Amino acid sequence: MKIMKVEQYQLRLPLVTPFQTSYGVLNEKALDLLILEDELGNQGYGELVSFEQPDYIEETIGADRQLIEQQLVPRLFQADLQKVGDVWSLFQTVQGNFMAKSALETAVWDLFAKREQRSLQSYFGSHKSEIPVGVSVGIHATTEDLIAQVSNYLEQGYQRIKVKIKPGYDIVPLSAIREAFPDVPLMADANSAYTFADLELFKQLDQLNLAMIEQPFHQRDFVDHARLQQHLQTKICLDENIRTLEDVKTAYTLGSCQGINLKIPRVGGITEALRIVDFCQTHQLLVWLGGMFESGIGRALNLQFASQNIFTFPGDISAADRYYTADVIKKPAKMERGNIVVPQGVGLGVELDWQVIEQVCDQKQTYQ
Ligand code: OSB
Ligand code: MG
């Protein structure tokens, strides 16, 4: 397969409600839609999910756009892709920049699936038609607001609540939720905001019957996460730390965590994500699918990927209306009784909504 053309639409989607984490507040999400075209005129879709600020990880959407133009697209144009895994090898000479690679790599997977007239999930050997989902709840001004929001999500049917924490906003809001909802699968996500000096706080959180505590410490730390895990019954789950299979091996070997929040873009695409799933399966390490406030394109990918049997813990894959007022695809994802249906059809199984795309598009690039 030859890639003949790449179109990149730079979009801005306003959030339904601001999302606050230990990094700051997000009011709207910048994201790029990538459309790859092969020599037969098939199109594959990818989403560039990186943020404008280099806080979650070091990548930014600005730097990723440059890398896509200067390094990745030229490699794609030179290649003759025989099989879907070839694009992973093609990008191996570019270090890091996982989300940039993923935007193109996942679009190539969609292209192959469309050429071969099959769904993306068929490549993963999965047949599940719907998957259980949870919701990630941002930092709120008051505990009352937080409880009201959690209660609203639970009424909608979400099967698991994840709450963002930061120093000074942790044990009080989490205890309040636990008291109000004693049996709800509940977890906390610190987005790297603490250090081992906060051990006593984590021992308190350990009493709340949390499903997991996500990413308590620094994004490159494996050693202190391992020390912390030894003091806790609650599973530590790593997010920011995990960019490659090698990171998973390090975490597993050192005992830095007992769960992995796997995000396809954060590990550079589907091929690396599959390698990680395989390792987790072999070593019985809990893995579940996280999110990056994707639009309908990235969410369709997440739904296809999360339809594998290994994903039993509800992912951070919420309905489109939890994130945005309008989506870039027709038939945006809906949640019913805590589940979202995996899009059917070839490839990602989605149809673009050009009316919305044109409304929210700042700029378009074409490479050919
Ligand atoms: O840390 O998991 C995270 C969103 C953006 C960046 C990082 C994270 C998150 C979430 C929400 O927690 C995930 C989602 O619902 O898309
Ligand atoms: Mg996280």
Side-chain angles (χ1 to χ4, degrees):
M1 177 171 73
K2 293 292 286 180
I3 306 294
M4 309 304 287
K5 186 160 113 179
V6 177
E7 290 178 313
Q8 184 164 8
Y9 294 84
Q10 303 185 0
L11 314 180
R12 256 173 202 290
L13 289 180
L15 265 55
V16 170
T17 151
F19 185 64
Q20 189 177 348
T21 69
S22 62
Y23 297 126
V25 184
L26 191 69
N27 289 296
E28 56 171 18
K29 176 80 172 68
L31 60 95
D32 291 3
L33 165 61
L34 286 123
I35 304 183
L36 272 50
E37 204 168 294
D38 70 6
E39 78 282 10
L40 304 175
N42 296 296
Q43 291 190 330
Y45 306 144
E47 177 169 337
L48 176 61
V49 303
S50 37
F51 292 105
E52 292 175 281
Q53 300 300 321
D55 46 17
Y56 168 72
I57 64 170
E58 59 275 18
E59 269 184 88
T60 61
I61 194 160
D64 280 349
R65 285 171 179 154
Q66 200 171 32
L67 189 94
I68 285 172
E69 174 174 9
Q70 297 177 355
Q71 299 287 340
L72 301 180
V73 167
R75 278 174 174 75
L76 267 185
F77 283 157
Q78 276 164 24
D80 186 4
L81 303 167
Q82 299 300 317
K83 54 184 192 309
V84 70
D86 287 353
V87 61
W88 180 85
S89 320
L90 187 70
F91 289 166
Q92 278 301 97
T93 53
V94 175
Q95 300 309 312
N97 299 287
F98 304 98
M99 296 176 185
K101 290 185 210 169
S102 177
L104 293 168
E105 198 254 12
T106 57
V108 168
W109 275 81
D110 186 33
L111 248 183
F112 265 93
K114 283 172 177 160
R115 275 170 86 99
E116 296 172 1
Q117 290 287 303
R118 55 194 281 201
S119 70
L120 208 52
Q121 72 171 174
S122 72
Y123 287 97
F124 315 137
S126 44
H127 307 280
K128 264 197 258 175
S129 59
E130 57 173 20
I131 58 164
V133 296
V135 61
S136 173
V137 185
I139 290 169
H140 280 64
T142 67
T143 304
E144 292 71 42
D145 289 356
L146 176 69
I147 297 280
Q149 181 61 269
V150 168
S151 161
N152 179 283
Y153 285 141
L154 289 173
E155 275 162 30
Q156 289 179 44
Y158 285 106
Q159 299 199 38
R160 184 228 69 207
I161 298 290
K162 168 166 128 180
V163 179
K164 295 290 184 177
I165 57 171
K166 65 173 184 178
Y169 181 96
D170 37 45
I171 186 71
V172 171
L174 272 171
S175 307
I177 296 177
R178 185 40 95 215
E179 203 175 311
F181 311 103
D183 303 320
V184 160
L186 178 66
M187 60 185 291
D189 185 359
N191 286 110
S192 306
Y194 296 84
T195 69
F196 194 78
D198 300 304
L199 177 61
E200 289 311 312
L201 169 78
F202 287 98
K203 286 184 176 169
Q204 287 179 292
L205 294 178
D206 205 21
Q207 305 301 311
L208 296 179
N209 187 26
L210 302 178
M212 274 171 246
I213 299 174
E214 183 171 326
Q215 196 66 39
F217 299 161
H218 191 271
Q219 309 159 3
R220 299 282 72 192
D221 169 74
F222 288 94
V223 173
D224 280 355
H225 277 128
R227 283 171 74 205
L228 178 63
Q229 183 66 85
Q230 283 179 357
H231 285 86
L232 303 183
Q233 297 288 318
T234 310
K235 291 182 172 66
I236 293 175
C237 163
L238 291 179
D239 172 357
E240 283 89 328
N241 272 75
I242 307 297
R243 322 293 174 83
T244 61
L245 173 60
E246 288 70 30
D247 290 332
V248 178
K249 287 182 182 168
T250 302
Y252 177 76
T253 306
L254 294 179
S256 315
C257 68
Q258 295 178 4
I260 303 286
N261 171 341
L262 178 58
K263 296 181 184 176
I264 298 166
R266 203 201 51 230
V267 303
I270 291 172
T271 305
E272 189 73 15
L274 286 171
R275 298 171 79 215
I276 290 173
V277 163
D278 187 55
F279 181 91
C280 290
Q281 198 134 34
T282 304
H283 295 88
Q284 298 189 340
L285 180 59
L286 174 70
V287 60
W288 59 281
L289 207 81
M292 286 290 291
F293 264 67
E294 284 89 349
S295 78
I297 296 296
R299 189 161 16 266
L301 171 67
N302 289 343
L303 289 164
Q304 298 278 341
F305 197 84
S307 68
Q308 297 174 80
N309 284 336
I310 193 170
F311 293 101
T312 53
F313 187 79
D316 278 344
I317 312 175
S318 307
D321 67 6
R322 182 262 173 268
Y323 304 102
Y324 305 113
T325 45
D327 203 348
V328 301
I329 57 164
K330 295 193 174 151
K331 299 193 200 145
K334 284 201 295 251
M335 190 266 295
E336 269 170 46
R337 279 168 268 102
N339 296 295
I340 300 184
V341 166
V342 180
Q344 296 300 299
V346 294
L348 289 169
V350 295
E351 195 187 329
L352 298 177
D353 188 331
W354 283 104
Q355 228 177 335
V356 174
I357 294 171
E358 273 156 27
Q359 264 169 26
V360 299
C361 183
D362 278 349
Q363 217 180 315
K364 182 192 168 188
Q365 303 290 337
T366 304
Y367 307 111
Q368 54 195 349

